[in-house]
Amino acid sequence: MSSPSNGALVGIIGGSGLYHLDNLTLVGTVNPETPWGLPSSPITICSLPSGTKIAFLARHGKGHTISPSDVPSRANISALKSLGVKAVLAFSAVGSLREEIAPGDFVLPSQVIDRTKGIRPVSFFEGTSIVAHAAFGDPFSTKLVAWLESRVRQVLEEEGRGVKLHTDKTVICMEGPQFSTRAESTMYRSWGADLINMSVLPESKLAREAELGYALIATATDYDSWRPNTEAVTAAEVFKTLQSNADTSRHVAAKILEGLHDAASKGDILTEEVGSMKFSIMPRSTGQKEEDIRKLSYVLPEYFPPV
């Protein structure tokens, strides 16, 4: 592993509007140069009041300078793992495809539909002489999501602002950067999708390859363009809700991070991921190049000891 552990077992990836966390003490920043480049932003190492450390990364860079299609997800995920992170809690703004999921609501999705267009690198093995087929039937860590559900719901109820938590929903990931047409939005609903965003892929796939626990807390900013007799979604509409959602996200994070670190330390919520790539990697052969083994050793030293 190229970078020393900073003691942070939990990594937070902040999405649109969530560029920092509150009530934490800054310990320092690190900017690991991975074989896939630099992460979206320097990773902030923060300390909870107890001294527990958390790693925070802004998905779209400081000041939101990176488009969803250009997020260096391989660098982000590998950098977090290189620091010793075991569980990733990702936040993302989403559009709602269901009337019951109102702007401002929170969602813990359980499934993903891929509508990206093949322009985003989706695997650490891409372009190497080594082949792997990671299981992705359940794209989010089921034990981690189950751990989060009761705790996030309790925080939202205690806050008393009427924010609902929805679970067992499907998020569709589109390419963007434009929003959906009305026809597309209606089609996604017919497919069974409940939410739409531009960021959960390939981030969640890469977390699975890196054997990291991964869960998404999606925050609805708007209704997508499926509703008849209403205006199509615009950035201006999204921005109205974005800041409020970010404030609530920071509050949720502040309340659950200590417990999440403890759970990650015990390992019970991560048993699905640890060792999951062992049988996904095709058997070694003489055709595997040393430079590729060296590259993959950065993110999967368990299977690719540095040569």
Side-chain angles (χ1 to χ4, degrees):
M1 195 72 64
S2 298
S3 301
S5 170
N6 285 268
L9 299 182
V10 175
I12 305 295
I13 298 180
S16 299
L18 185 61
Y19 306 117
H20 66 277
L21 298 176
D22 291 338
N23 304 319
L24 298 176
T25 301
L26 175 65
V27 174
T29 59
V30 291
N31 200 23
E33 185 166 0
T34 79
W36 299 275
L38 293 170
S40 296
S41 68
I43 298 171
T44 304
I45 307 299
C46 304
S47 175
L48 297 170
S50 65
T52 295
K53 294 183 176 63
I54 301 295
F56 179 86
L57 186 153
R59 181 186 291 114
H60 298 285
K62 289 189 174 181
H64 203 112
T65 58
I66 304 173
S67 171
S69 300
D70 298 324
V71 171
S73 293
R74 291 188 295 185
N76 290 348
I77 294 298
S78 62
L80 287 171
K81 183 167 182 182
S82 78
L83 298 176
V85 165
K86 296 183 180 296
V88 174
L89 182 56
F91 288 84
S92 179
V94 299
S96 170
L97 294 168
R98 302 293 166 187
E99 192 70 40
E100 65 270 20
I101 304 175
D105 283 358
F106 277 45
V107 187
L108 282 168
S110 58
Q111 281 295 324
V112 178
I113 297 174
D114 190 351
R115 272 281 289 169
T116 58
K117 298 177 179 177
I119 64 175
R120 309 180 187 193
V122 299
S123 173
F124 290 112
F125 297 85
E126 192 170 313
T128 74
S129 57
I130 301 168
V131 176
H133 300 281
F136 202 60
D138 295 304
F140 304 105
S141 302
T142 54
K143 291 184 178 181
L144 176 56
V145 171
W147 186 95
L148 288 167
E149 181 179 347
S150 61
R151 291 160 178 83
V152 172
R153 193 183 304 280
Q154 181 179 351
V155 174
L156 293 177
E157 289 175 352
E158 289 175 351
E159 194 177 21
R161 294 168 62 177
V163 177
K164 295 180 181 178
L165 175 68
H166 305 267
T167 58
D168 197 27
K169 301 298 182 183
T170 296
V171 56
I172 192 162
C173 187
M174 63 177 289
E175 193 61 63
Q178 298 83 4
F179 293 124
S180 307
T181 67
R182 292 184 187 276
E184 288 170 333
S185 191
T186 300
M187 178 179 70
Y188 298 151
R189 281 168 47 83
S190 75
W191 288 356
D194 305 295
L195 312 163
I196 185 165
N197 92 329
M198 302 177 189
S199 300
V200 69
L201 295 173
E203 192 173 272
S204 54
K205 288 185 175 181
L206 294 165
R208 180 60 51 84
E209 284 191 347
E211 295 191 344
L212 298 180
Y214 181 95
L216 180 73
I217 294 183
T219 59
T221 57
D222 59 273
Y223 287 111
D224 206 50
S225 299
W226 55 272
R227 299 172 96 202
N229 305 316
T230 60
E231 294 291 328
V233 62
T234 65
E237 181 183 359
V238 169
F239 292 150
K240 291 178 184 178
T241 313
L242 201 60
Q243 189 55 55
S244 175
N245 284 358
D247 290 341
T248 305
S249 295
R250 281 189 283 269
H251 180 68
V252 167
K255 293 289 187 178
I256 68 171
L257 284 179
E258 188 71 60
L260 181 54
H261 171 90
D262 291 344
S265 179
K266 293 175 183 176
D268 297 342
I269 61 173
L270 306 175
T271 53
E272 300 159 282
E273 289 71 41
V274 177
S276 63
M277 289 297 292
K278 182 176 181 180
F279 299 108
S280 296
I281 302 166
M282 295 297 99
R284 289 177 178 263
S285 70
T286 56
Q288 295 184 356
K289 300 176 182 177
E290 285 192 7
E291 59 264 34
D292 294 335
I293 294 174
R294 190 177 301 110
K295 184 177 187 179
L296 289 166
S297 72
Y298 187 91
V299 70
L300 286 170
E302 302 89 341
Y303 310 111
F304 299 98
V307 294

